Amino acid sequence: MTKLYVIRHAEAEGNIYRRIHGHYDSRITSNGLRQIRALERRFAAVPIDAVYASDLNRAMLTAQAISRPKGLPVQAEPRLREVALGDWEDVPFGYPETFAPEQIEAFYHNTEHWQIPGAESYETYTGRFIRALADAASAHPGGSIAVVTHGMVSTGGFRRLFGDLMHQASRCDNTGVSLIEYEDGCFTPVWFYDNSHLTPEISTLAHQLWWRGKGGFNLWFRPAEAKDRSLFDPEFYPQKGHEVQIALLGNKPVGYLAFRSDGPSCLYLLPAYRHKRYGDQLLGQVVCTLRGRGADTLRIGVPTCRTEALAFFARHGGVICQMDDVFTVYELDIRPKQI
């Protein structure tokens, strides 16, 4: 009998930016690095004979928490990748929630029948995932294996393998661990989605509302129009020379982001929407937009008097590159690879 510890990757950009990332190769967040250290402590005394991981950055980096202390290589396995999401790759969740509500409802609750152009079918992605697990287990009979993968592909694979037993499982936190046994071609679940190594402070699910059915959280973005200027304080709204995008919650504008080629970008939320994690999504739109244009770094300007904004960018890994009594500029590394 072979033990398979199936682990979801640590918190990555899509999780906090609320963007749909399948094969999109996103980075681990600062909090995700803390989760990786907690995962390393959890597995310190657990015998492991081999470590497999999806070949995407967020899974490979998470796998090193187990492989490196034990002196094992990480065996990259593309069949463990997240679902290929076609036309929805790197789209903010708020966009399909606003314009394709039936499809996003199926995505959340009925993935067996969800399908959009360019995306993998349920049969395709669950089939490759299950074959990868079986091949890894067969290569190490009687051993213990760590398998680092992704949320949607593993949940779909488990649902196909174990059916109604999955109704007993809650959502899987980042770095959540499931234990599966394999023998004579058969899989048997022991437990699903344990995150006991995470404190509430570093748990991703503990700080999110969307999965609790609270709704009204995910933003989408569109290019600014002339009429949008009247919605915001003219003292702060960008002048000519900026590319401006409006952030919307449903059909209600809640803020904007502005790009400028010769200076730092800026983010703005209306006061009623601050301190509610919407800023993460604005930052995500800037990061993913500039990365798609080939940028390696992001520079953000913040009024020095805005202490809460300074703390926000520090939390996201920003490094101060310019500061005076009026203005502070943070620089963030947005290169896609961390390994």
Side-chain angles (χ1 to χ4, degrees), residues 176-215:
V177 183
S178 302
L179 178 57
I180 310 298
E181 295 177 345
Y182 181 84
E183 189 169 22
D184 297 331
C186 296
F187 292 93
T188 303
V190 181
W191 35 260
F192 297 113
Y193 304 160
D194 181 75
N195 68 344
S196 57
H197 56 287
L198 300 178
T199 63
E201 290 75 21
I202 65 173
S203 164
T204 302
L205 289 182
H207 296 282
Q208 292 181 329
L209 297 177
W210 67 269
W211 61 273
R212 304 176 193 181
K214 302 233 179 237

Side-chain angles (χ1 to χ4, degrees), residues 49-327:
D49 300 296
V51 180
Y52 290 79
S54 154
D55 61 343
L56 295 177
N57 176 75
R58 55 196 187 271
M60 291 290 288
L61 190 60
T62 302
Q64 292 180 11
I66 302 169
S67 67
R68 187 175 292 157
K70 300 182 185 301
L72 296 169
V74 178
Q75 301 185 52
E77 173 51 83
R79 292 178 296 175
L80 296 171
R81 279 188 176 197
E82 184 57 288
V83 180
L85 295 170
D87 288 355
W88 283 11
E89 284 285 0
D90 197 36
V91 171
F93 274 96
Y95 192 89
E97 286 181 355
T98 302
F99 296 101
E102 293 183 359
Q103 289 179 323
I104 196 67
E105 180 68 15
F107 179 83
Y108 287 144
H109 303 296
N110 190 18
T111 53
E112 292 90 337
H113 300 100
W114 171 81
Q115 188 69 50
I116 64 166
E120 285 182 286
S121 69
Y122 176 80
E123 290 75 17
T124 298
Y125 72 75
T126 57
R128 64 169 166 83
F129 174 78
I130 292 168
R131 288 192 296 273
L133 291 187
D135 288 349
S138 297
H140 304 277
S144 295
I145 305 169
V147 176
V148 182
T149 184
H150 304 262
M152 185 174 178
V153 71
S154 59
T155 296
F158 290 163
R159 185 177 295 118
R160 185 166 173 178
L161 284 171
F162 307 125
D164 290 343
L165 289 176
M166 287 303 296
H167 293 307
Q168 304 170 17
S170 59
R171 291 187 179 274
C172 187
D173 208 341
N174 290 103
T175 69
V177 183
S178 302
L179 178 57
I180 310 298
E181 295 177 345
Y182 181 84
E183 189 169 22
D184 297 331
C186 296
F187 292 93
T188 303
V190 181
W191 35 260
F192 297 113
Y193 304 160
D194 181 75
N195 68 344
S196 57
H197 56 287
L198 300 178
T199 63
E201 290 75 21
I202 65 173
S203 164
T204 302
L205 289 182
H207 296 282
Q208 292 181 329
L209 297 177
W210 67 269
W211 61 273
R212 304 176 193 181
K214 302 233 179 237
F217 179 72
N218 295 318
L219 303 179
W220 63 282
F221 302 85
R222 62 163 172 78
E225 302 170 357
K227 64 181 181 181
D228 294 319
R229 183 177 295 273
S230 64
L231 302 173
F232 302 100
D233 188 332
E235 181 181 354
F236 297 104
Y237 196 79
Q239 304 302 311
K240 290 183 179 180
H242 288 81
E243 173 191 345
V244 183
Q245 295 183 15
I246 302 299
L248 298 103
L249 186 61
N251 291 312
K252 184 177 181 60
V254 301
Y256 60 79
L257 49 92
F259 307 91
R260 185 168 178 164
S261 59
D262 60 348
S265 300
C266 66
L267 314 180
Y268 181 85
L269 276 170
L270 292 170
Y273 298 93
R274 296 172 188 169
H275 311 295
K276 297 179 179 179
R277 313 286 296 201
Y278 292 115
D280 294 343
Q281 298 179 60
L282 265 69
L283 179 61
Q285 178 71 1
V286 176
V287 167
C288 293
T289 298
L290 291 182
R291 182 184 290 152
R293 297 174 182 178
D296 290 333
T297 59
L298 163 64
R299 299 177 76 234
I300 292 280
V302 187
T304 302
C305 63
R306 292 281 304 279
T307 55
E308 75 282 3
L310 299 178
F312 171 83
F313 289 109
R315 174 167 62 85
H316 282 281
V319 176
I320 294 175
C321 62
Q322 176 185 330
M323 184 177 185
D324 56 34
D325 292 340
V326 178
F327 210 60

